[in-house]
Each structure stands twice: as structure tokens, then as C-alpha cells.
Amino acid sequence: CSAIDACESSNGGCSAKAECRRTTPGSRACVCSAGYTGDGIVCMEINPCLVNNGGCDRNAECTQTGPNQAVCNCLKGYSGDGKNCTYISLCSQNNGGCSEFAICNDTELTERTCTCKTNYTGDGFQCRGNIFQELLRNSNTSRFYFHLQALSIRDISGPGPFTLFVPHTDVLNSDPRVKDWIAKGVMAQVLRHHVVGCASLLYEDLTAITNITSLQGEQIHISYSQNSLVLNNKAEIVLSDAVGTNGVIHVINQILVP
């Protein structure tokens, strides 16, 4: 007589995912293979993600890849190996895309707000200080700023409001009259003739006005036709509505002579 091998046929009736082990003649035990769970007759894959998120960080996604196997991937807005995930602050790089004069605040994942700092105005992505500061920051108007500084004219650094008509830097650099005005000591009067006090007039406001008075005390005539604003019949506004905390800057293509 020979012992009957209970595992010889059809894996002994065990699951295909189980090992049939001979015990005594004619008997056997079914043991689920690694990565599976059950009674041996029925064996099911173990999904490690179902318990404690598979050992992944709470800010990670656990994805089953096989029997009792999984990978961890940090969720959007976090970085790391999946086991440890760290929040990515949008504000930590390049101020979150906000202006250098703005405060960046993380609000939600992949979201942030930009708020201009005190003494600046704007939408957070573009923030401006007073118009005296803004003259220097823009190459189109920086030459006008240097002329004001040279003559210690700081009217427009006050609370305002002011409307400023600034001859383009190229115009101030190329007009030969500028040197003569400086030599004759009248450049201060010329510069003040480009400033209007007590009002912050946007381009749209200017289209409804025909005359305004400069800080020099003389009139500036305004005409509007064919979608163009012209001052004193010669200086056209080429760039407009650079709004600061104490007024607005318009760039013109000619010098206004009092």
C-alpha cells in the first residue's frame, strides 16, 4: 500500500493562489500564497492601501500595484517620496508671481492671494507707490525724475492728488532747449508746467476737459479728436493712466513750454 497524496490532483482543491501542503496520508492543508489572504480554498489579494493608507503620508495617494504591493504619490500641492509629503508654498518662489511690492499669502492648495503693501496701490500683481517713486522705475519717465531731483523739486512726493504729464525720456534727452533752460535757470518752471495739482485725472477724465492749470500757474489746453488727446496743440499723450498712490502719470511726446 502507498500513501495517498491529497495534493496530487487539482492542487488538492486549494485555491490557485494557495500552496497545498501534505499533512497525513490522504490529508492536506491549504495556505494562501504571500500577498493573499483567505482560508486557502479561497484566496484574495491583499490591498495594503485599505489599512493606514498603505503606510503612505496622509497627503499622498496609495495605489495598489500587486498582491500586498503599493506605491505612494504625494498629492498635488505637495512634494516628497510619498511616505513623507511636504506642502509646497506657492509664495516661496518668486513671491508667488506677485509684485515685489506685494504680500503673497497661501490660501488653498495651488491658490494664493497677492495684496499690495502699505503705501502701494494695485491689484497685487502690479503695485505702484507714489508717482515720484514710479517715475524712476519706468525708463520712459526716469529722465524727468532726474531733472526733478537735480532741482530738488519734490512737490509730487506729497499726498496729492496730482496729474503728471511727463515728456518721454527720449524727448528730454534729444531736445536742445533743455540745456538752455538749465543754463538760464528756468528748468524748474518748465518742469512744474507738467504737473497739475489737486486732481488725479485719468485719460477718460481728460477727454471731457478743455483747460487745466499747472503748478506753474499757467493753462494747459486739451483737445480730443480721432481717439487722440493733445496738449497745447502739439504734445500727444502716448502712454496713459499709470496710477500711483498720490496721482496718475501720462507720458507725452513733446515738452510743454510755459
Side-chain angles (χ1 to χ4, degrees):
C1 296
S2 59
I4 297 173
D5 183 353
C7 294
E8 187 174 11
S9 176
S10 300
N11 198 31
C14 300
S15 167
K17 303 298 183 181
E19 177 187 0
C20 182
R21 297 177 181 175
R22 293 172 60 187
T23 52
T24 57
S27 299
R28 53 93 176 100
C30 299
V31 181
C32 291
S33 302
Y36 292 85
T37 184
D39 61 4
I41 305 299
V42 176
C43 295
M44 302 178 65
E45 280 191 6
I46 297 172
N47 183 353
C49 296
L50 298 178
V51 179
N52 196 31
N53 200 29
C56 302
D57 188 275
R58 65 188 182 92
N59 293 306
E61 180 182 20
C62 179
T63 304
Q64 184 184 4
T65 57
N68 205 27
Q69 295 178 329
V71 293
C72 303
N73 294 296
C74 293
L75 298 174
K76 185 177 181 180
Y78 292 85
S79 65
D81 60 5
K83 297 291 185 181
N84 295 286
C85 298
T86 304
Y87 174 65
I88 301 172
S89 169
L90 292 178
C91 296
S92 64
Q93 296 183 345
N94 194 33
N95 201 30
C98 303
S99 165
E100 62 179 309
F101 305 111
I103 298 172
C104 179
N105 285 308
D106 291 294
T107 53
E108 301 176 15
L109 294 180
T110 70
E111 296 290 338
R112 54 90 179 86
T113 60
C114 302
T115 307
C116 292
K117 295 178 181 178
T118 304
N119 297 324
Y120 288 88
T121 185
D123 60 5
F125 297 98
Q126 186 176 55
C127 298
R128 294 189 178 98
N130 67 52
I131 56 177
F132 189 67
Q133 296 172 308
E134 293 307 311
L135 287 174
L136 181 60
R137 296 195 184 107
N138 190 325
S139 62
N140 295 322
T141 58
S142 58
R143 190 62 186 165
F144 192 85
Y145 171 88
F146 292 127
H147 281 298
L148 292 174
Q149 280 285 71
L151 295 169
S152 299
I153 300 173
R154 298 188 61 86
D155 307 60
I156 59 173
S157 62
F162 301 100
T163 299
L164 193 56
F165 301 107
V166 182
H168 194 283
T169 289
D170 293 342
V171 174
L172 287 172
N173 285 337
S174 62
D175 195 319
R177 296 175 297 174
V178 172
K179 289 184 179 180
D180 292 336
W181 291 329
I182 294 173
K184 293 176 181 177
V186 297
M187 190 62 183
Q189 290 95 308
V190 174
L191 295 175
R192 284 196 172 96
H193 189 49
H194 292 78
V195 184
V196 176
C198 302
S200 181
L201 301 170
L202 298 176
Y203 190 94
E204 184 177 356
D205 300 323
L206 294 170
T207 62
I209 299 173
T210 55
N211 289 288
I212 47 178
T213 304
S214 71
L215 289 188
Q216 181 58 23
E218 298 191 38
Q219 293 265 305
I220 299 173
H221 175 69
I222 303 173
S223 56
Y224 179 70
S225 64
Q226 297 180 344
N227 296 320
S228 178
L229 269 174
V230 178
L231 310 180
N232 290 347
N233 299 317
K234 60 182 298 186
E236 182 182 353
I237 295 179
V238 292
L239 296 169
S240 63
D241 294 353
V243 178
T245 56
N246 65 339
V248 60
I249 299 171
H250 305 288
V251 178
I252 56 178
N253 63 0
Q254 296 288 332
I255 298 174
L256 301 177
V257 182

